[in-house]
Amino acid sequence: MKRKNIYIIFSTILIILSVVIITTQIDKKNHSSQQKNSEMPIQEYTPIDVKNLALLCKIWGFMKYYHPEIRAGKYDWDRELFYIMPSLISITSKEKRNEIFSKWMDKFDVPMEQNRKSLTHTDSIKLYPDINWIDDTVTLGATLSNKLRKIHNVEQDTLSYYVGLHKNKNAIFKHENDYPQCPLPNINYQLLALFRLWNAIQYYYPYRYLFREDWNETLLKYIPLFLKIRNKEDYVNTLKMFIAEIHDAHAQIIGGGRTKKFLVPVMIRFIEGRAIVTDYYEISPNYQGSIDNSLQIGDIILRVNNEPVDSLIKRMIPYTPGSNKASLYRNIVLFELLWSNDKELYIDYERDGRPCKAKIKCIPQKYTILTIAQKSQPLITTFPSNILYLYMGSSIEGEMPKEIKEKGVIIDLRNYPSSKKIKGYINYELLYPYPTNCALATNGSLLYPGLFTFDQTSKAGKKNREYYQGEKVILVNEFTQSHAEFTAMKYKQAPKAIVMGSTTAGADGNISIITLPGGLKAIFTGLGIYYPNKSETQQIGIVPDIEVKSTIQGIREGRDEVLEAAIKYLNR
């Protein structure tokens, strides 16, 4: 998993912007060109209207990923959605609604051959497709249910116009029109965004079984919210709320433009239940203005523009992605707390037990460089106590040691390893005497959308009599995410290796990216990662063998208490 931009790594903590945007193609028998792309009328929608639209979302997405002709890209599938949506409003009869669906589906040819093999239970299957709803004849009626089952039973090939699999087997979404100039509010595009993203997650999110609320109920909850969108900012915020529902620290909506473009350039961590200044941003040499140094390391932020920190956190939780509490609070205090639309913030803070107030100057975000992910710090340092220290977030060119003579090794993964800067760390064979399994991965299916199976085993090391036999301490915290978590899992398999620190972000696995109307993109984890015994890492993180947390007192004294504990452990 390669990363190109340090700031994006930790605003999304893992983004590879490699989506190819291609205009939707091929009408069938000129049908699409005859349709009217008129917006649904804005009115009060009833609970029955919302249920009808939710069913449309499910049928439209099912056909997109299962119908052979639609999978082949032979229809403008967005336009078909716009075509049928208005006909479902103010329909109170379930029978009439199902008749509308049935006639609409008759326009799309289904091959007669019903050759799809049924899935049989095996230990390799982690997640089955959630499609039992197509057999619900009480809701759908026998005719509509049978047509959906017929579509499901058609044998598919591995080619799909809308989705493919990366070489690492996470989903790659293709040919999704971004409609960059679509006017807002516009119910057509608003519902298209919701339906497109809901179904992408429904069929290609590996941790769907970890949702805290039923995914169908989430759809019902958000349709009214998407119907009420008033402008572009409201649209982006509603999408952020929606994707935050999957509780995935990888999840993000990007491209809508950050409304807050200024910040106080200090780094904040949530320690002992308080928002504390722990470091400073690096400032670009291109910045010509002055920097306000009112805040110092160790200051506790109490209020921002008279709003208590606890209130701000509570307000931002619905819009913020996070796999667990550690990554959720990390994202809020780091990327929301001291950001502003204005060039000044009024901040109440505590210093050495004394309350203080200040009007602090902000600077444009474009001139700041976030150094939590990577720093211009050497990869290799030898401590006086004969301990080798490896800082894996080094932005300086370096190579992993080919020989270790020190009595112990500390591997610091409280950052994001750079595959471009550090040579040899991904398969660092010096740590292992023989090959060992370090992780299992699940991936989605093009033949059975919604299916996730274990079919990738990652190994660490090779047979090596000259391996390093000393003790290894792997340092982690809430900034250890994704590839850093996977690296920690690999190194943990080395003999005499322990993990020390605090729980990691709990978001591992390659990401998938899907384009949304308005020139936006949605990101979420696309590959499931598990321990060799198939136990979870998502939302849990890499749990340390020895828990050591930073303290407010330690921050104020300029100490790295986690690193100190590792040195003490190796010197015991």
Side-chain angles (χ1 to χ4, degrees):
M1 293 180 286
K2 298 182 178 180
R3 306 295 176 272
K4 297 183 178 179
N5 181 291
I6 296 176
Y7 184 78
I8 293 180
I9 287 173
F10 266 99
S11 67
T12 66
I13 326 259
L14 178 1
I15 297 176
I16 307 173
L17 295 177
S18 58
V19 176
V20 179
I21 303 171
I22 304 176
T23 304
T24 308
Q25 63 177 22
I26 310 179
D27 295 331
K28 181 163 184 176
K29 299 177 182 179
N30 296 319
H31 176 73
S32 295
S33 63
Q34 299 171 7
Q35 299 172 0
K36 294 181 180 180
N37 186 12
S38 58
E39 181 190 0
M40 288 205 303
I42 297 177
Q43 61 184 45
E44 292 295 325
Y45 290 89
T46 68
I48 293 178
D49 292 330
V50 172
K51 288 183 179 180
N52 290 346
L53 289 171
L55 183 57
L56 171 61
C57 172
K58 296 173 69 173
I59 292 175
W60 178 81
F62 173 81
M63 293 176 69
K64 178 178 183 177
Y65 292 121
Y66 272 92
H67 192 294
E69 299 286 286
I70 296 163
R71 280 168 52 96
K74 294 185 178 181
Y75 298 91
D76 185 333
W77 202 232
D78 293 350
R79 186 178 290 273
E80 290 292 345
L81 178 66
F82 300 153
Y83 173 77
I84 191 175
M85 274 198 297
S87 61
L88 296 170
I89 301 303
S90 301
I91 300 296
T92 58
S93 165
K94 181 170 60 176
E95 289 74 20
K96 178 63 175 176
R97 177 201 66 193
N98 293 341
E99 181 183 349
I100 292 172
F101 277 127
S102 185
K103 289 182 178 179
W104 177 63
M105 291 172 60
D106 285 342
K107 299 187 299 184
F108 314 113
D109 296 336
V110 180
M112 297 300 295
E113 297 81 4
Q114 307 286 293
N115 297 322
R116 180 186 290 275
K117 296 179 181 178
S118 298
L119 290 172
T120 56
H121 177 75
T122 67
D123 290 339
S124 66
I125 296 179
K126 176 61 179 178
L127 183 62
Y128 286 88
D130 177 22
I131 55 171
N132 290 336
W133 60 273
I134 69 175
D135 295 319
D136 180 6
T137 56
V138 174
T139 300
L140 303 174
T143 300
L144 182 56
S145 176
N146 288 337
K147 288 182 178 181
L148 291 168
R149 175 53 63 180
K150 180 180 178 182
I151 292 170
H152 173 269
N153 290 341
V154 174
E155 186 174 8
Q156 308 285 3
D157 57 35
T158 57
L159 297 178
S160 172
Y161 182 73
Y162 292 105
V163 65
L165 295 181
H166 187 269
K167 64 179 181 180
N168 292 323
K169 300 189 177 180
N170 53 298
I172 300 174
F173 297 100
K174 306 178 294 182
H175 301 151
E176 299 286 10
N177 197 325
D178 64 348
Y179 305 104
Q181 304 302 323
C182 68
L184 292 170
N186 183 295
I187 292 176
N188 282 5
Y189 295 109
Q190 290 157 203
L191 289 182
L192 172 61
L194 174 62
F195 290 6
R196 189 185 285 179
L197 183 52
W198 188 90
N199 281 289
I201 292 171
Q202 168 78 349
Y203 292 106
Y204 288 102
Y205 183 62
Y207 301 114
R208 192 180 69 243
Y209 59 93
L210 292 177
F211 289 163
R212 299 172 196 179
E213 293 183 7
D214 182 89
W215 195 228
N216 298 292
E217 293 299 319
T218 300
L219 176 62
L220 287 169
K221 179 172 72 173
Y222 274 87
I223 286 175
L225 299 181
F226 275 81
L227 291 173
K228 296 175 182 177
I229 287 170
R230 300 180 299 275
N231 51 48
K232 179 68 173 287
E233 182 180 357
D234 195 16
Y235 172 64
V236 173
N237 286 334
T238 306
L239 281 168
K240 287 181 178 180
M241 287 178 61
F242 177 71
I243 203 166
E245 295 279 357
I246 71 176
H247 301 285
D248 177 10
H250 275 149
Q252 186 78 349
I253 301 296
I254 61 172
R258 174 177 278 276
T259 56
K260 298 178 180 180
K261 300 183 183 298
F262 301 93
L263 76 157
V264 178
V266 296
M267 298 182 200
I268 307 292
R269 287 184 65 196
F270 208 71
I271 296 175
E272 297 184 49
R274 313 293 294 277
I276 184 170
V277 178
T278 59
D279 207 341
Y280 302 101
Y281 281 71
E282 289 185 8
I283 307 301
S284 168
N286 296 326
Y287 180 63
Q288 301 299 317
S290 60
I291 299 174
D292 192 325
N293 294 316
S294 298
L295 291 178
Q296 298 178 9
I297 292 176
D299 288 345
I300 298 172
I301 308 300
L302 303 176
R303 294 179 181 83
V304 179
N305 285 345
N306 292 321
E307 181 179 11
V309 169
D310 289 346
S311 172
L312 187 147
I313 288 175
K314 185 177 181 180
R315 178 167 57 83
M316 292 308 305
I317 281 176
Y319 302 93
T320 307
S323 298
N324 52 29
K325 184 177 179 180
S327 60
L328 176 65
Y329 277 56
R330 173 202 71 194
N331 289 344
I332 294 174
V333 299
L334 191 60
F335 299 113
E336 296 293 342
L337 189 62
L338 299 185
W339 289 75
S340 176
N341 290 318
D342 304 317
K343 296 182 180 181
E344 294 176 329
L345 279 178
Y346 292 88
I347 298 177
D348 292 54
Y349 58 97
E350 177 187 310
R351 178 177 296 165
D352 298 328
R354 296 180 294 105
C356 305
K357 291 186 177 182
K359 182 172 69 173
I360 299 180
K361 179 182 177 181
C362 301
I363 70 172
Q365 177 270 318
K366 63 182 180 180
Y367 293 115
T368 63
I369 303 171
L370 184 62
T371 56
I372 288 176
Q374 295 173 358
K375 297 180 182 179
S376 55
Q377 177 178 326
L379 167 65
I380 301 171
T381 303
T382 302
F383 292 153
S385 53
N386 195 29
I387 293 173
L388 181 67
Y389 174 71
L390 300 176
Y391 177 71
M392 305 304 293
S394 175
S395 59
I396 303 173
E397 297 282 352
E399 184 174 359
M400 297 293 281
K402 296 182 178 179
E403 182 182 22
I404 300 176
K405 296 182 179 180
E406 289 79 1
K407 68 179 180 182
V409 177
I410 298 172
I411 304 175
D412 196 339
L413 280 167
R414 297 172 295 173
N415 45 56
Y416 194 85
S418 172
S419 58
K420 289 187 175 181
K421 296 292 184 179
I422 305 174
K423 297 179 181 179
Y425 81 91
I426 295 177
N427 297 306
Y428 193 38
E429 296 168 345
L430 186 61
L431 299 180
Y432 313 92
Y434 44 76
T436 180
N437 294 338
C438 63
L440 298 176
T442 63
N443 57 264
S445 171
L446 298 179
L447 296 178
Y448 297 88
L451 176 72
F452 278 83
T453 55
F454 290 102
D455 74 344
Q456 298 182 69
T457 301
S458 294
K459 294 183 178 292
K462 66 178 183 180
K463 189 173 182 180
N464 180 15
R465 294 182 180 180
E466 304 301 321
Y467 78 99
Y468 175 68
Q469 300 184 32
E471 293 186 284
K472 304 100 182 167
V473 181
I474 305 159
L475 305 186
V476 299
N477 65 7
E478 72 272 22
F479 293 104
T480 308
Q481 179 168 313
S482 194
H483 184 55
E485 290 180 291
F486 189 79
T487 304
M489 292 173 70
K490 294 188 75 169
Y491 291 170
K492 178 65 171 65
Q493 297 302 315
K496 298 182 182 180
I498 66 155
V499 176
M500 181 180 290
S502 54
T503 301
T504 63
D508 204 351
N510 294 39
I511 60 169
S512 292
I513 305 172
I514 187 165
T515 299
L516 300 176
L520 307 181
K521 296 182 189 298
I523 300 165
F524 53 85
T525 302
L527 197 69
I529 299 295
Y530 303 83
Y531 286 108
N533 64 359
K534 297 184 179 180
S535 59
E536 299 286 347
T537 63
Q538 186 76 4
Q539 298 189 4
I540 298 172
I542 309 302
V543 179
D545 301 300
I546 300 176
E547 185 178 60
V548 182
K549 295 183 177 181
S550 300
T551 66
I552 294 175
Q553 185 62 31
I555 295 296
R556 287 174 172 167
E557 294 172 357
R559 297 166 51 206
D560 186 339
E561 294 161 287
V562 181
L563 181 57
E564 290 174 1
I567 294 171
K568 183 177 180 180
Y569 175 84
L570 293 175
N571 282 331
R572 72 194 186 283

